[in-house]
Amino acid sequence: MDFAKIYNKLQTLYNFIPYYLFRGGGSFPPLNVHFMTTLDCNLKCRGCFIERHDKPADLPATRKKHLSSQEIITLIDATPFYSILTFSGGEPLLRKDWFDTLSYAAKKRRCHLITNANLIGREEAVSLVDLGVGSIFGKGLLAVGISVNGIGDVHDRVTRRPGSFEKTINAIRTIQDVKKERNARFPLIDIKTVIRQECMHQLSEICSLAEELGADILSFQIFSGQKQPAYYRGSHSQGNPPAAGQPEPISADARHLDVLESQLRRIDERKKELPFKVRLLPEIPVSEIVRYYAGEFDPKKFICTSPWAYMIIKETGDVTPCIEGYPAWNIRQHSFDKCWNSPGMKALRRDIRKKGVTPACMGCCLLEPK
């Protein structure tokens, strides 16, 4: 049984069912709940949303406002029984309570962890495998998403941490070794690569690396061009439409575009032969990805299901359907259901239904072609 394909289909259904059922601003409780547990990170990746949106001087003050372990556990209990829960950061393993929180969630729901894996040794790998689900539809840790930003020095230059590539690869191998020892199928290993200019020439090589490591999924995600989305951040919190604005083009260099297209075409030709699932996020044609990196993104061609299916609870309790902005209400001040169906959330859904996605959506992995 191809669990990676089932996992991918499950995620697609989770995104689209509420979008098609609800034509207005309402929605039933979210199918995907994403906890951004901390802004702290042991890496300093180029282009990270933390670097783009938050000044280093502000982080200590923000850290004091992070949701406590008990607050997160209370929120886990408030999620619908059918939800998939994702835990990320920053780097979630920097929280001392990361395992207690994740293990509690794994007893209640299906879970997904996103990490750079630099803090995963033998002990952590055993803990993660012990939390693995018994079946694709069971409770427990369904998948671990691990960032690979290139091969060797390319990865290290992106993360700005020499040796980080080796640590990441060793962690993946350790998890796979423990799974073999335990005869465990889960958690699935989802290697996540953001398509940056630095690694465009290595995409097929990353594909070969994923095969060598025995990965279940390889997710290539387009890079967001947002520098500082102040023109729309918070615009829906009171039910107001987003302000106008146009993100900067990612790249207009013909050489990089030729390399990108060549690499993606090569991977596309190999997809049927590979023993794992290859995903492009968003799942759009190669030609559209190349157009995106040329700065020719046309939002009228796409829809976004995020406001109907995806709830992000940020480290300070702000609730949003989008990692780049659109905060609604704070979970510490309002109930789970009220945050999800706040006036701002409803206005955002109606606006996207009526007008489609905006330029602010450029780079979102949840976009879908119409």
Side-chain angles (χ1 to χ4, degrees), residues 188-203:
L188 302 177
I189 298 298
D190 180 6
I191 291 179
K192 296 182 176 294
T193 298
V194 176
I195 302 175
R196 307 167 187 267
Q197 187 167 296
E198 295 94 334
C199 70
M200 284 181 181
H201 65 290
Q202 294 185 326
L203 299 185

Side-chain angles (χ1 to χ4, degrees), residues 16 236 257 285 334:
F16 272 95
H236 270 96
L257 297 179
H334 301 276

Side-chain angles (χ1 to χ4, degrees), residues 38-45 48 50 59 63 89-95 114-120 147 155-156 158-164 167-168:
T38 180
L39 286 183
D40 289 335
C41 192
N42 50 331
L43 305 180
K44 300 295 180 185
C45 296
C48 176
I50 295 175
L59 292 181
R63 192 177 298 122
E91 173 48 52
L93 268 66
L94 282 174
R95 284 187 60 131
I114 300 177
T115 172
N116 60 48
N118 272 213
L119 299 175
I120 295 178
S147 302
H155 176 95
D156 290 357
V158 171
T159 62
R160 296 178 175 141
R161 285 290 184 273
S164 61
K167 288 181 179 178
T168 295

Side-chain angles (χ1 to χ4, degrees), residues 181-255:
E181 292 169 11
R182 305 291 176 93
N183 194 28
R185 187 68 185 84
F186 298 95
L188 302 177
I189 298 298
D190 180 6
I191 291 179
K192 296 182 176 294
T193 298
V194 176
I195 302 175
R196 307 167 187 267
Q197 187 167 296
E198 295 94 334
C199 70
M200 284 181 181
H201 65 290
Q202 294 185 326
L203 299 185
S204 60
E205 194 176 346
I206 292 170
C207 199
S208 297
L209 176 64
E211 184 174 11
E212 177 195 334
L213 294 171
D216 300 283
I217 306 167
L218 173 58
S219 302
F220 288 112
Q221 181 173 330
I222 63 177
F223 180 69
S224 172
Q226 299 298 341
K227 298 295 184 183
Q228 174 52 269
Y231 58 82
Y232 74 93
R233 173 176 271 193
S235 59
H236 270 96
S237 60
Q238 302 300 324
N240 300 316
Q246 177 62 54
E248 297 180 11
I250 300 298
S251 170
D253 190 321
R255 292 174 303 169

Side-chain angles (χ1 to χ4, degrees), residues 66-103:
H66 282 180
L67 293 171
S68 68
S69 177
Q70 186 54 54
E71 285 178 310
I72 294 174
I73 286 173
T74 299
L75 290 171
I76 290 169
D77 288 335
T79 61
F81 70 91
Y82 47 74
S83 290
I84 291 179
L85 309 185
T86 297
F87 295 86
S88 75
E91 173 48 52
L93 268 66
L94 282 174
R95 284 187 60 131
K96 294 180 180 179
D97 59 359
W98 75 268
F99 180 73
D100 292 338
T101 303
L102 185 61
S103 60

